[in-house]
């Protein structure tokens, strides 16, 4: 995918009405601090389009990034952040649920998990919830640069087993630092995009 133009078009908080869009939507979910904003920046070849922070829980909104006027990449709030109140967590959960349940244009959901660790209860719950609602989540195993090359297969297996992922689930090891895995993510996204109109010769 050649990124010609990209913009953060819509930001929806807890009380916002989610937009009805005319383009395909691809959503990204993951717990706080899993590297979602860094991954979105790497996908778009931008340094700071999505605000990254070492402080978890920064993304508290649903953010719609318009790429090439062709597709929306939708960044969902990070879940499972321990330092916010239960009520706040429930609000974020409802926001994620409202979006995943209500979007008519949503074609695929990526779930980000940290490749270094076995997926936690929140990851498992999110995965199960997506499957229950008819999605086949594609797993992005982030922070690939933090492990040795020889550990990749073992950690990918740990991720699949921890999520009890369905047979055939795609797991893409990814590093925002080295951009490894970026092309694989785009090739999955491109499968959901409509074929470009053939150009007519005048």
């Amino acid at each position: 995918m050649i990124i010609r133009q990209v913009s953060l078009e819509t930001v929806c908080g807890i009380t916002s009405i989610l937009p009805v869009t005319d383009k395909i939507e691809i959503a990204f979910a993951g717990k706080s601090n899993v590297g979602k904003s860094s991954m979105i920046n790497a996908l778009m070849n931008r340094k700071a389009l999505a605000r990254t922070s070492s402080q978890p829980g920064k993304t508290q909104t649903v953010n719609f990034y318009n790429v090439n006027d062709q597709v929306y990449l939708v960044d969902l709030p990070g879940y499972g952040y321990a330092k916010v109140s239960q009520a706040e967590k429930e609000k974020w959960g409802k926001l994620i649920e409202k979006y995943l349940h209500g979007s008519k244009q949503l074609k695929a959901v990526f779930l980000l998990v940290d490749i270094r660790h076995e997926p936690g209860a929140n990851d498992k719950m999110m995965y199960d919830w997506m499957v229950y609602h008819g999605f086949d989540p594609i797993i992005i195993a982030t922070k690939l640069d933090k492990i040795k090359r020889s550990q990749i297969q073992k950690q990918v297996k740990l991720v699949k087993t921890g999520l009890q992922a369905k047979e055939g689930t795609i797991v893409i090891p990814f590093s925002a630092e080295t951009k490894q895995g970026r092309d694989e993510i785009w090739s999955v996204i491109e499968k959901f995009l409509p074929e470009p109109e053939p150009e007519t010769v005048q």
Side-chain angles (χ1 to χ4, degrees):
M1 173 72 109
I2 297 161
I3 312 290
R4 292 186 192 84
Q5 51 144 351
V6 57
S7 62
L8 173 53
E9 198 163 281
T10 312
V11 176
C12 295
I14 294 198
T15 54
S16 308
I17 306 281
L18 288 163
V20 177
T21 73
D22 59 351
K23 294 175 187 60
I24 285 181
E25 294 170 15
I26 307 287
F28 295 88
K31 70 180 175 200
S32 297
N33 231 12
V34 75
K36 204 150 42 63
S37 300
S38 301
M39 184 220 61
I40 283 176
N41 286 332
L43 276 186
M44 318 252 208
N45 279 335
R46 299 291 190 278
K47 284 269 189 288
L49 188 67
R51 283 201 304 268
T52 58
S53 169
S54 55
Q55 178 195 352
K58 199 73 183 155
T59 307
Q60 300 174 15
T61 49
V62 177
N63 297 336
F64 288 75
Y65 295 94
N66 181 341
V67 182
N68 292 350
D69 227 12
Q70 191 182 11
V71 58
Y72 283 108
L73 300 191
V74 182
D75 183 13
L76 298 172
Y79 55 80
Y81 178 43
K83 287 191 181 159
V84 297
S85 68
Q86 191 56 37
E88 196 73 11
K89 276 188 205 166
E90 280 169 17
K91 277 188 202 161
W92 293 356
K94 285 203 174 75
L95 185 59
I96 294 171
E97 194 167 326
K98 185 165 82 165
Y99 171 71
L100 290 178
H101 205 53
S103 170
K104 299 280 184 284
Q105 295 284 9
L106 181 58
K107 299 297 180 213
V109 180
F110 286 84
L111 178 63
L112 280 71
V113 296
D114 188 329
I115 198 165
R116 297 172 298 178
H117 312 296
E118 187 176 352
N122 283 319
D123 296 319
K124 178 81 179 88
M125 200 160 65
M126 183 53 106
Y127 178 82
D128 289 346
W129 192 89
M130 288 171 174
V131 170
Y132 176 77
H133 283 283
F135 293 104
D136 278 325
I138 300 124
I139 311 303
I140 299 177
T142 62
K143 307 189 190 262
L144 176 62
D145 48 285
K146 307 275 194 238
I147 64 169
K148 293 194 180 97
R149 209 185 194 110
S150 57
Q151 296 174 299
I152 296 173
Q153 288 314 317
K154 178 174 142 266
Q155 293 307 111
V156 164
K157 192 173 175 192
L158 183 73
V159 164
K160 281 186 175 175
T161 313
L163 292 173
Q164 291 172 4
K166 288 162 59 177
E167 190 69 40
T169 296
I170 299 169
V171 178
I172 302 173
F174 175 80
S175 163
E177 291 291 315
T178 66
K179 306 260 185 33
Q180 192 175 334
R182 179 182 182 272
D183 292 347
E184 287 87 341
I185 295 169
W186 271 121
S187 70
V188 172
I189 293 172
E190 283 169 350
K191 286 181 188 144
F192 295 97
L193 301 183
E195 289 289 312
E197 305 261 323
E199 289 184 23
T200 51
V201 180
Q202 297 295 329

